[in-house]
Amino acid sequence: MSFPVDPRARWVLIYRWVVFLLAAGFMIRQLVVAADYGHAGGPFRYLTIWALVLSFVAASRMLALTEGRSEKTWSRLVMVAAVANGLTVLMYWRLWLQDPALVVAGDPLPLWVDYYLHGVGPVLQWIDVLFIYGGFRRPMRAVLPFLGVALGYLAWVELFVGPFNDFPVGPVTDGLPYPFLNALEPAARLQFYGVTVVTGLVILGLFAGLAWGIRQLQPTSAARSAESPDR
């Protein structure tokens, strides 16, 4: 691997290595070291882990672009990862601030893990996609992949995770990964899922608007980007 001479390219390479190594480290911790496979679905019961996997894959592809190891643009991947992270952060903290017991079953995560998964990690990925990669130029291309991930997760939770688990225990049902879901009747859960998917699409639109604003403020920087997803 040759180290870039251009200062900006050098800092981009360093930044992407840091983001990649952090994502890889937390993947190993959450999926191997501290993983609980005693329940059906293991750590993959949680949307947070799906977002972490997307962040890791996106980080690896951004690093591959910087090092010239990929000819693909990966625009859909980085957009879906950003939206999944946004949805995870928004839903988690909204419920946690209301009552941590709504989203935490059993022992809580160590604070340093909690803050990375629901804060630092997503922010690092957003900085890349918005300020380095210059993504969200064609946000409509991310709609179907996002819906695929969102509906895939909901089907996974309702058709596998819930039926094959008896924890957490709720007043209505058992086994759904987040405690508050087990307190909702099926119709109420369906409504919540619908609102969540729509919220994800709104987040996609907000990211697209933010990316457009950044490009207007930094037209020169955006114009010289060698990794523009629409080149």
Side-chain angles (χ1 to χ4, degrees):
M1 180 185 69
S2 59
F3 206 66
V5 176
D6 176 61
R8 181 181 184 275
R10 186 182 305 131
W11 282 110
V12 167
L13 179 62
I14 293 172
Y15 180 84
R16 284 180 166 170
W17 264 110
V18 170
V19 174
F20 170 75
L21 291 175
L22 281 171
F26 277 91
M27 278 267 293
I28 293 171
R29 185 195 186 277
Q30 295 305 111
L31 299 182
V32 180
V33 177
D36 175 14
Y37 287 96
H39 298 92
F44 293 99
R45 291 173 292 158
Y46 303 106
L47 180 62
T48 298
I49 299 301
W50 285 46
L52 175 62
V53 171
L54 284 169
S55 290
F56 169 75
V57 177
S60 73
R61 295 307 84 204
M62 295 302 95
L63 187 58
L65 284 177
T66 300
E67 295 181 344
R69 295 184 284 105
S70 177
E71 295 182 356
K72 292 185 178 181
T73 61
W74 305 105
S75 61
R76 293 179 178 87
L77 171 63
V78 296
M79 287 190 288
V80 172
V83 174
N85 277 317
L87 192 57
T88 300
V89 169
L90 175 65
M91 301 304 291
Y92 178 82
W93 288 113
R94 183 177 71 84
L95 292 166
W96 189 92
L97 291 172
Q98 186 177 341
D99 182 356
L102 293 174
V103 288
V104 178
D107 297 331
L109 290 170
L111 288 179
W112 61 277
V113 177
D114 198 5
Y115 290 155
Y116 175 84
L117 295 177
H118 302 111
V120 175
V123 169
L124 291 174
Q125 198 263 331
W126 297 335
I127 290 173
D128 194 321
V129 67
L130 292 172
F131 294 97
I132 300 175
Y133 181 73
F136 289 96
R137 294 172 183 269
R138 296 180 181 177
M140 292 302 296
R141 298 174 67 186
V143 171
L144 288 180
F146 165 72
L147 290 176
V149 171
L151 297 178
Y153 176 75
L154 296 178
W156 161 255
V157 164
E158 287 287 336
L159 301 179
F160 179 80
V161 174
F164 288 94
N165 283 294
D166 55 11
F167 178 82
V169 176
V172 174
T173 189
D174 303 330
L176 295 172
Y178 297 103
F180 79 95
L181 291 175
N182 295 291
L184 299 178
E185 297 287 347
R189 289 205 307 275
L190 184 62
Q191 182 180 16
F192 174 79
Y193 295 152
V195 170
T196 301
V197 171
V198 171
T199 301
L201 295 175
V202 171
I203 291 173
L204 173 62
L206 292 175
F207 272 124
L210 181 58
W212 179 86
I214 291 171
R215 288 194 296 272
Q216 304 313 303
L217 293 173
Q218 300 176 326
T220 303
S221 177
R224 69 168 179 261
S225 174
E227 298 174 4
S228 170
D230 296 321
R231 71 180 186 275

